[in-house]
Amino acid sequence: MEIKIMKNILDRNQHKAEEVRNLLSSKKLLMVNIISSPGAGKTTLLERTCEVLGPDIRIGVIEGDITTDRDAQRLKKYNIPIVVINTEGGCHLDSHSIFKVLESFDLEKLDVLFVENVGNLICPSQFDLGENFKIAIVSTAEGDDKPGKYPMLFREAEAVVLNKIDLIPYTNFNLTNFRSDLKMINGQVPLFEVSCTKGDGLAGWFDWLNNRIKGIILTREVSQVKNL
Amino acid sequence: MEIKIMKNILDRNQHKAEEVRNLLSSKKLLMVNIISSPGAGKTTLLERTCEVLGPDIRIGVIEGDITTDRDAQRLKKYNIPIVVINTEGGCHLDSHSIFKVLESFDLEKLDVLFVENVGNLICPSQFDLGENFKIAIVSTAEGDDKPGKYPMLFREAEAVVLNKIDLIPYTNFNLTNFRSDLKMINGQVPLFEVSCTKGDGLAGWFDWLNNRIKGIILTREVSQVKNL
């Protein structure tokens, strides 16, 4: 019975996610769903991304949090539009809540909308929000065995950010093991090995993300030319 | 509708949890539900606990994992009874799966049964497994803001283990902030600040746990005397 109920919930979520996707696609706007365990570095990656890409790219953020607006407070200094969704105990965001808050944004004035999901390596990967793609973040402090132990997200993600590489010397994290564990789950996925606090390795992430955003902007410009 | 469904699921879980609790109580056996984010140190805390308390206390372990038996493999060397529950994508253990695997243990020959829940700071705290109490583990690498951001578990836990204190010098973790954040959520909860890999601070945890286990053994001995 519970499996059937879960299927119904996921079906309804999927249906609404397609609505979100169609809306964002009509606005030629990229939506990125950022997923990780608590404290792996989602907000810090967003801070660095706002600092480096913010001057050229128009960024908006949806902050998923159980009960506080602490992450949103950290991003306020970038003067970007931010909406907080408090799940009140819920372990993931869903497409219905995303659809509802989209009306709070002036979508014509954005190039990319980041969704910082609730800190959870499991449930958020099962709920399509209508995003263009998911990003998985994992911290070296969590250990090198996470892709094999929590395979769903690593299979679904279009890029993986391994954060806190500056802590490797102080832990028993084995980078070779992590890479091969990830390769077993998703052999093709781009991996960015970074330290969001120290800045190491972030250039590759910015390039990759920038290319994805520029791709969307290009389709918007092409469609504007067609409409002239 | 989803709220009602969730309530039904939780009610059924609660009912079975009472059955588990009654069974374990009749055997005078302590069950401890260990909950944390992925990679915060549940298995490493169990390793240290087996090493130090194992010679005097008869330990059994239920390993909750999504898809692998990696954590169970790490504990095999202690020659203790271990049963793995693979949730196949499920984000938490429930009391029905615990009840089912209890028959795999010789409960008369155990003093404490540890349940290592699926790595998730949210969902496992909503599902009573029939345990005597929950333990929350959080790693310094996750940041000092976790009690406020994920309050449910920290409110429910009967003890909190702050792990990886050896990493504090290399992170922006602020111990004073963490302590006051935790105090706001659960002012009375015992806090053990430890490094499970280096051994720092573990004596307090062993003492506290040992006392709880000895309390159960004492009630068992008293009831045996009464039955003479």
Side-chain angles (χ1 to χ4, degrees):
Chain A
M1 190 199 70
E2 279 170 35
I3 290 169
K4 202 175 151 195
I5 291 167
M6 191 61 194
K7 189 179 174 309
N8 286 345
I9 291 172
L10 286 174
D11 283 351
R12 286 181 51 220
N13 181 74
Q14 192 62 42
H15 187 76
K16 197 52 130 186
E18 298 306 336
E19 268 189 67
V20 171
R21 192 169 283 115
N22 288 338
L23 173 62
L24 296 177
S25 163
S26 74
K27 307 283 184 193
K28 302 284 187 294
L29 171 66
L30 194 76
M31 184 163 114
V32 183
N33 184 357
I34 305 179
I35 302 177
S36 82
S37 298
K42 295 183 290 305
T43 315
T44 315
L45 185 69
L46 281 176
E47 288 180 312
R48 293 301 87 76
T49 303
C50 286
E51 283 157 15
V52 173
L53 299 189
D56 298 318
I57 304 282
R58 298 169 305 170
I59 296 174
V61 175
I62 297 174
E63 275 295 344
D65 243 315
I66 289 179
T67 180
T68 72
D69 67 348
R70 291 183 183 185
D71 294 338
Q73 290 296 339
R74 289 172 56 189
L75 295 177
K76 261 175 71 177
K77 57 183 175 286
Y78 302 109
N79 291 314
I80 53 171
I82 307 172
V83 174
V84 176
I85 301 176
N86 276 146
T87 61
E88 307 298 342
C91 54
H92 62 270
L93 293 175
D94 64 27
S95 56
H96 291 80
S97 51
I98 296 293
F99 190 81
K100 253 185 242 163
V101 301
L102 282 183
E103 63 182 20
S104 311
F105 291 93
D106 186 349
L107 297 176
E108 308 282 349
K109 292 188 175 161
L110 290 181
D111 298 316
V112 61
L113 185 58
F114 291 109
V115 180
E116 182 174 342
N117 220 308
V118 176
N120 182 338
L121 213 48
I122 308 170
C123 319
S125 62
Q126 299 172 343
F127 285 79
D128 185 356
L129 304 182
E131 71 271 352
N132 291 75
F133 52 84
K134 294 181 178 68
I135 295 293
I137 307 183
V138 59
S139 134
T140 58
E142 294 174 60
D144 50 44
D145 58 352
K146 292 302 160 287
K149 288 190 66 187
Y150 301 85
M152 288 164 299
L153 173 61
F154 294 95
R155 213 174 273 139
E156 288 248 328
E158 207 151 308
V160 173
V161 175
L162 174 66
N163 190 22
K164 311 192 188 182
I165 56 167
D166 54 308
L167 294 183
I168 292 179
Y170 316 110
T171 65
N172 54 13
F173 184 91
N174 183 312
L175 193 51
T176 310
N177 289 355
F178 177 82
R179 288 174 182 155
S180 69
D181 214 40
L182 179 60
K183 200 165 187 156
M184 188 182 68
I185 301 296
N186 188 346
Q188 302 304 314
V189 73
L191 169 63
F192 301 102
E193 299 168 359
V194 311
S195 164
C196 287
T197 53
K198 307 278 189 259
D200 307 336
L202 282 171
W205 158 252
F206 295 137
D207 272 356
W208 182 87
L209 181 66
N210 208 14
N211 279 335
R212 297 300 301 260
I213 298 171
K214 288 282 163 62
I216 287 280
I217 294 176
L218 197 65
T219 65
R220 187 165 57 206
E221 285 164 359
V222 168
S223 86
Q224 277 163 352
V225 169
K226 275 187 186 163
N227 289 337
L228 285 179
Chain B
M1 191 198 69
E2 279 170 34
I3 290 169
K4 201 175 151 196
I5 291 167
M6 191 61 193
K7 188 178 174 312
N8 285 345
I9 291 172
L10 285 173
D11 284 351
R12 287 180 51 219
N13 181 75
Q14 192 61 43
H15 186 79
K16 195 55 129 185
E18 298 307 337
E19 268 189 68
V20 171
R21 192 169 283 115
N22 289 338
L23 174 62
L24 295 177
S25 164
S26 73
K27 305 284 184 192
K28 303 285 188 290
L29 171 67
L30 193 76
M31 185 163 114
V32 182
N33 184 359
I34 305 178
I35 302 178
S36 83
S37 298
K42 295 182 292 303
T43 315
T44 315
L45 184 71
L46 281 176
E47 287 179 313
R48 292 300 88 76
T49 303
C50 286
E51 283 158 15
V52 172
L53 299 188
D56 298 318
I57 305 282
R58 298 168 304 169
I59 296 173
V61 175
I62 297 175
E63 276 295 344
D65 244 314
I66 290 179
T67 179
T68 71
D69 68 348
R70 290 183 184 184
D71 294 339
Q73 291 296 338
R74 287 172 57 189
L75 296 176
K76 262 175 71 177
K77 55 184 173 290
Y78 301 109
N79 292 314
I80 54 172
I82 307 171
V83 175
V84 177
I85 301 177
N86 276 145
T87 61
E88 306 298 343
C91 53
H92 61 270
L93 292 175
D94 64 28
S95 56
H96 291 81
S97 52
I98 296 292
F99 190 82
K100 252 185 242 165
V101 301
L102 282 182
E103 65 182 20
S104 312
F105 291 93
D106 187 347
L107 297 176
E108 309 282 350
K109 292 190 174 159
L110 289 181
D111 299 315
V112 60
L113 184 57
F114 290 109
V115 180
E116 182 176 342
N117 220 308
V118 176
N120 182 337
L121 212 47
I122 309 170
C123 318
S125 62
Q126 301 172 342
F127 285 79
D128 184 357
L129 304 181
E131 70 270 354
N132 291 74
F133 53 85
K134 294 180 177 70
I135 295 293
I137 308 183
V138 58
S139 133
T140 58
E142 294 174 60
D144 49 46
D145 59 353
K146 293 302 158 290
K149 288 189 67 187
Y150 301 84
M152 289 162 301
L153 173 61
F154 294 95
R155 211 175 274 139
E156 290 249 326
E158 207 151 308
V160 173
V161 175
L162 174 66
N163 191 22
K164 310 192 190 183
I165 55 166
D166 55 308
L167 293 184
I168 291 179
Y170 315 111
T171 65
N172 54 12
F173 184 90
N174 182 311
L175 193 51
T176 309
N177 290 354
F178 177 83
R179 286 174 183 155
S180 69
D181 213 41
L182 180 61
K183 200 164 188 158
M184 187 183 69
I185 300 296
N186 189 345
Q188 302 304 316
V189 73
L191 170 64
F192 302 102
E193 299 168 358
V194 312
S195 164
C196 287
T197 53
K198 309 277 189 258
D200 307 336
L202 282 170
W205 158 252
F206 294 137
D207 271 357
W208 182 87
L209 181 66
N210 208 14
N211 279 336
R212 298 299 302 259
I213 297 169
K214 287 282 161 61
I216 286 279
I217 293 175
L218 197 64
T219 65
R220 188 166 56 207
E221 284 164 0
V222 168
S223 86
Q224 278 165 353
V225 169
K226 275 189 188 164
N227 289 337
L228 282 179

